Amino acid sequence: MSDNKTTPSNFIRQIVKDDLASGKHSRIQTRFPPEPNGYLHLGHAKSIVLNFGLAQEFDGRCNLRFDDTNPGKEDVEFVESIQNDVKWLGYHWDQLFFASDYFEQLYGYAEELIGKGLAYVCELNAEQTREYRGTLTEPGKPSPYRDRSVDENLDLFRRMRAGEFPDGSKVLRAKIDMASPNLNMRDPVLYRIRHGVVHHQTGAEWCLYPMYDYTHPISDALEGITHSLCTLEFEDHRPLYDWVLDNITIPCHPRQIEFLRLNIEYTVLSKRKLTQLVDEGHVSGWDDPRMPTIAGMRRRGYSPAAMRDFCTRVGITKSDSVVEMSLLESVVREDLDATAPRRMAVLNPLKVVIENYPEGHIETLQGPNHPKHDDMGSRPLKLTREIFIDRDDFRLEANKKYKRLVLGGEVRLRNAYVIRADEVVRDDSGEIVELRCSYDPDTLGVNPEGRKVRGVIHWVSASEGIAAEVRLYDRLFTDAAPDGHKGEDFLSYLNPESLVALPHAVVEPALADAVAGERFQFEREGYFTLDVTAGSADKPVFNRVVTLRDSWSKSA
Ligand code: ATP
Ligand code: MG
């Protein structure tokens, strides 16, 4: 990968550079720590590009670690999809871990904290615990169980592990400071009891599960992480991260550094909300091409290079910002403009009969694969007497600005001859169902002398073309911040026109060889990819990756 050339500097990169220069670290070690409770989205991609990208750039290492301390919501389906997505983005982890690999060690450290008088078993219920915690303006009250003896705490904690107590009856809490201005430091819960759940990695071995804030620093330290990068919501948790590591016997103390979460207009980046879209059937699945998931964007036709590029360009700042959808699209478009072979596809076909063209004749013409890259070669095009053009490319009459076909006017068929529209055929309802044209055989590659040709339109042979379905995607929501309205359900902003299926499209014969995931420019229409799941060899489905020009910033 050569993305590094364009990596803009950011404060985290600077910290890493300084730490290497000062000799604080001789090699950096990062990690990407997803919880396997959903598919990865574009926000995760930003974290992946940051963590793996830094390791790559500075010759360090990056682990993939599943933060799997919430059995019940987690699943191996997600464990697998996450690995898939990270690989697809072009990264290789140094080592693969599960936080559950550390359950025994985490338990041991909890006993150490208890032994030092720094953790206790508390029997307040959830509501009482909240009440005792106090508020931002009022200090908390100490739990009546706070001063239990070390022996009693150890005994109770061991019996919690042994399964003697029901869910919710007891928790293990750190003994820190009930008056701390930081609510996270008011004796946070370290362990809770969960019976009857089968953990996807540890099965029924445990009924005692560590909390995220306790698990995370220790997992990082056990892996020798040098820079533990997380999103800004965890800034207030950093004192707890440090407290845990300062109070147990562990040789490593990673530095937690926070960066801004990625937010994008017209979509939601939250696994909970994405899960709701899937579960309630608002989309066809996690890989629906409208989803901001990596799986959805892959199916939509975004390339890994474009996604990495986008994640690098959005930068790693601390200041609040919402990234415009048009930035993502322009990165994708730039990538495709340079690399996608050109093809012709007629999305809303209108039949054209070229009356002076010999019946039954098939003429093979050549169409360059790319206007700027001769090295990409050309593909054969089949011209026949009956062809399709797009309904939008014909009008009975129009002013000069209309650079397409009008009755009596001339237009060039892309990579072929100039045709003239002579007559329309209508059905009983008056709709135009066919166009009778004539062609000028002397116009292959040369313009007719003394006659005005309005423009160039695309076409596909009626007998040689392939029937296809084309799917056009628009933003999934009609509001730039669908989840940003208090008291309003984000689902009420779903865009009913986010998917428009055109089931009667016709594409040129060369597209018979397209393989799933291959990307093309359908000339004058946009960039498209062959869908990996829908469609068949007889009737392929093409997804629109992105339009040819930016249609977002203006229409927004
Ligand atoms: P969600 O709220 O969507 O569930 P999460 O933060 O709970 O996201 P995790 O699986 O816990 O999801 O996250 C794995 C990593 O990805 C974390 O380090 C997290 O900080 C990072 N991450 C998640 N969402 C974003 C985002 N929108 N922008 C940048 N990084 C993110
Ligand atoms: Mg999470």
Side-chain angles (χ1 to χ4, degrees), residues 260 262-266 320-324 480-481:
L260 184 71
L262 176 66
N263 287 308
I264 298 206
E265 287 182 342
Y266 295 103
D320 222 1
S321 73
V322 179
V323 177
E324 286 171 28

Side-chain angles (χ1 to χ4, degrees), residues 89-105:
L89 273 176
Y91 295 107
H92 306 278
W93 46 89
D94 183 42
Q95 295 192 76
L96 175 72
F97 291 112
F98 290 85
S100 55
D101 294 339
Y102 310 130
F103 278 175
E104 194 60 55
Q105 281 152 293

Side-chain angles (χ1 to χ4, degrees), residues 168-198:
S169 62
K170 292 182 176 52
V171 293
L172 184 74
R173 295 175 71 175
K175 193 171 179 176
I176 310 181
D177 179 5
M178 287 309 291
S180 170
N182 182 341
L183 289 155
N184 295 307
M185 298 299 271
R186 295 186 187 171
D187 291 10
V189 174
L190 305 181
Y191 270 91
R192 68 213 191 278
I193 300 171
R194 296 279 316 265
H195 285 284
V197 284
V198 177

Side-chain angles (χ1 to χ4, degrees), residues 35 37 212 234 271:
E35 184 181 352
N37 61 349
Y212 174 87
F234 290 96
K271 272 184 285 192

Side-chain angles (χ1 to χ4, degrees), residues 379-555:
R379 82 285 185 190
L381 297 168
K382 306 283 183 186
L383 180 65
T384 50
R385 189 168 193 263
E386 294 192 357
I387 61 170
F388 290 114
I389 65 168
D390 201 282
R391 285 194 169 269
D392 279 350
D393 285 339
F394 173 73
R395 279 187 204 166
L396 284 173
E397 49 189 325
N399 66 22
K400 283 208 182 73
K401 282 198 201 131
Y402 187 73
K403 301 286 181 212
R404 313 175 197 181
L405 194 56
V406 295
L407 203 58
E410 281 187 299
V411 84
R412 176 174 294 284
L413 296 178
R414 182 92 172 129
N415 301 310
Y417 302 92
V418 169
I419 58 167
R420 187 183 63 223
D422 298 323
E423 194 188 332
V424 294
V425 179
R426 296 173 191 271
D427 65 9
D428 293 344
S429 69
E431 199 191 340
I432 297 171
V433 288
E434 192 180 298
L435 203 54
R436 303 234 163 115
C437 293
S438 49
Y439 88 115
D440 180 345
D442 296 327
T443 53
L444 190 62
V446 279
N447 273 330
E449 263 178 54
R451 276 154 37 215
K452 192 124 182 57
V453 177
R454 277 182 177 246
V456 182
I457 63 171
H458 60 279
W459 56 277
V460 172
S461 157
S463 57
E464 305 307 300
I466 305 163
E469 177 174 324
V470 165
R471 294 179 183 169
L472 307 180
Y473 299 101
D474 199 349
R475 54 188 98 173
L476 189 49
F477 294 92
T478 53
D479 189 272
D483 51 0
H485 302 271
K486 272 228 166 75
E488 295 242 20
D489 187 358
F490 76 106
L491 294 173
S492 63
Y493 297 102
L494 270 172
N495 177 6
E497 276 146 38
S498 58
L499 165 62
V500 174
L502 303 170
H504 305 298
V506 186
V507 302
E508 66 167 82
L511 285 165
D513 303 328
V515 295
E518 206 177 347
R519 294 172 270 264
F520 304 94
Q521 184 192 93
F522 287 177
E523 296 197 59
R524 304 178 60 233
E525 295 290 0
Y527 296 96
F528 290 80
T529 189
L530 180 62
D531 193 87
V532 285
T533 12
S536 61
D538 291 347
K539 183 103 187 252
V541 169
F542 289 93
N543 295 320
R544 184 169 71 194
V545 186
V546 67
T547 52
L548 285 178
R549 274 169 290 278
D550 183 3
S551 55
W552 293 81
S553 21
K554 271 143 279 161
S555 63

